Amino acid sequence: MKYKIEAESFEPKDVFECGQCFRWNANQDGTYTGVFGNNVLNVKKDRNKIIFTGTCKYEDEIKRYFDLDRDYKQIKNSLSIIDDNLKESIEYGQGIRILNQDLWETIISFIISANNNIPRIKGIIERLSKKYGEPIEYEKETYYSFPTPEQLSKASIEDLRNLGLGFRDVRIYETTKLVLEGKMNLKNLYDMNTNDAREELLKLSGVGPKVADCILLFSDLKRFDVFPIDVWVRRVMNELYIHHEDENKVNKKEIQKIADRMFGNMQGLAQQYLFYFRREN
């Protein structure tokens, strides 16, 4: 299958390297290949067209996953007038789109991301998928879908530890159990307001405020009114707006107040542009 879609505001590098996803990898020819759902997809930019090649049979599925029906040009225009700092960040990461990732996969991925680096996170997720997911054949290679709660429930804490999860093994085990036993119904999160959905997510083992906000922003819950705060975000917010001598003493509540005041219900997108620009530079 091959689809060509005209898309403004879409740069594969910006989409896949901005920290929102862990199952997409760059190829030597500048394209990216990754897994979403039960699909393997290769993504290539050719002038103003994005070419999707892979196992996905439905164009609508691709449009939804890549958020292609949203007007990012209008979003960037409205954010750019807030101040020059954000304008410069948007110019750098102008091709970012926030993916509609599967909620369950996003929860587990961001629990794994805690106190971790991206190559290691990717390695763990790959091993987890290879052991418990379903194989998908594409271009004479075997890829693996992300395991469902049912598939992941087959793993003991020791099994998870052997995949290199470290202290996160118990957290993944407990969260899987909670969801599988119906003590948390993930479908209910879609009908909740952002604060209530956050409170629910915080009940999961291994989910603190930053991980909860990442799940809200980067999954198909798609809440742009959250502002995940990590080391990079604290650094850039201090450098641009707070100017504290010791960035480690910058209060997260202070950062959140600034985000609420300046960026409003688009703060999740503002965070991504600021985060990506600061981390890459």
Side-chain angles (χ1 to χ4, degrees):
M1 149 256 117
K2 187 182 234 180
Y3 296 116
K4 278 188 186 181
I5 297 173
E6 274 199 41
E8 280 192 335
S9 307
F10 190 122
E11 282 295 334
K13 182 180 184 292
D14 295 346
V15 172
F16 300 125
E17 306 278 359
C18 70
Q20 65 172 320
C21 56
F22 305 108
R23 300 216 66 198
W24 292 87
N25 296 301
N27 303 307
Q28 286 184 328
D29 62 357
T31 67
Y32 281 79
T33 303
V35 181
F36 77 99
N38 294 311
N39 307 299
V40 177
L41 212 59
N42 176 266
V43 181
K44 175 186 178 182
K45 182 159 190 184
D46 183 15
R47 299 191 192 95
N48 63 337
K49 283 193 168 63
I50 310 298
I51 301 164
F52 302 96
T53 314
T55 65
C56 186
K57 293 175 184 173
Y58 304 105
E59 192 173 333
D60 283 353
E61 222 176 320
I62 291 171
K63 282 185 172 179
R64 182 177 179 277
Y65 180 77
F66 288 101
D67 209 27
L68 292 178
D69 290 329
R70 195 181 303 275
D71 187 348
Y72 276 77
K73 188 177 180 183
Q74 186 269 323
I75 289 169
K76 288 185 293 186
N77 287 343
S78 59
L79 285 172
S80 290
I81 60 173
I82 291 171
D83 75 351
D84 288 341
N85 295 320
L86 191 51
K87 186 181 179 186
E88 188 182 5
S89 299
I90 288 168
E91 282 168 3
Y92 180 81
Q94 57 85 26
I96 289 175
R97 280 181 175 266
I98 306 295
L99 302 170
N100 282 301
Q101 299 182 83
D102 174 74
L103 175 56
W104 167 249
E105 180 175 343
T106 312
I107 288 169
I108 297 300
S109 298
F110 278 92
I111 292 173
I112 291 168
S113 78
N115 300 318
N116 218 340
N117 61 56
I118 286 179
R120 196 157 177 272
I121 298 163
K122 283 186 163 190
I124 292 168
I125 291 171
E126 214 45 57
R127 291 192 293 275
L128 208 62
S129 301
K130 193 171 183 178
K131 181 138 190 182
Y132 298 105
E134 294 290 333
I136 311 163
E137 301 297 328
Y138 175 65
E139 297 281 291
K140 298 179 182 173
E141 281 193 51
T142 306
Y143 298 81
Y144 296 87
S145 64
F146 191 85
T148 63
E150 291 77 14
Q151 289 169 328
L152 204 49
S153 71
K154 293 169 186 165
S156 67
I157 293 171
E158 194 180 353
D159 291 335
L160 294 168
R161 188 169 302 147
N162 290 336
L163 292 174
L165 277 149
F167 67 87
R168 305 163 198 87
D169 51 12
V170 177
R171 296 173 176 182
I172 300 293
Y173 180 83
E174 288 175 348
T175 287
T176 302
K177 207 170 172 213
L178 207 68
V179 170
L180 202 62
E181 290 173 355
K183 288 174 183 169
M184 177 173 292
N185 186 337
L186 298 181
K187 287 179 183 172
N188 292 342
L189 296 172
Y190 293 91
D191 300 321
M192 294 179 184
N193 66 42
T194 299
N195 286 333
D196 289 347
R198 183 189 287 111
E199 288 305 312
E200 274 299 292
L201 287 167
L202 288 169
K203 294 175 185 175
L204 295 172
S205 183
V207 176
K210 183 247 172 180
V211 167
D213 283 351
C214 285
I215 294 163
L216 288 163
L217 179 59
F218 300 135
S219 74
D220 54 10
L221 290 172
K222 196 45 102 264
R223 305 301 169 91
F224 288 152
D225 56 338
V226 298
F227 198 80
I229 300 167
D230 69 353
V231 172
W232 292 105
V233 174
R234 185 171 60 190
R235 188 170 294 163
V236 71
M237 291 298 283
N238 184 51
E239 284 176 4
L240 299 181
Y241 304 111
I242 299 167
H243 313 299
H244 200 295
E245 282 181 25
D246 184 355
E247 70 179 44
N248 296 312
K249 291 181 180 173
V250 174
N251 191 301
K252 286 188 177 182
K253 284 182 181 174
E254 193 179 355
I255 294 172
Q256 189 61 60
K257 271 185 188 173
I258 294 167
D260 289 341
R261 187 182 77 243
M262 291 188 68
F263 312 132
N265 62 3
M266 285 285 122
Q267 59 188 273
L269 276 160
Q271 186 266 11
Q272 269 301 274
Y273 293 120
L274 291 165
F275 166 85
Y276 185 56
F277 179 66
R278 180 63 184 83
R279 196 194 65 184
E280 296 294 300
N281 293 279

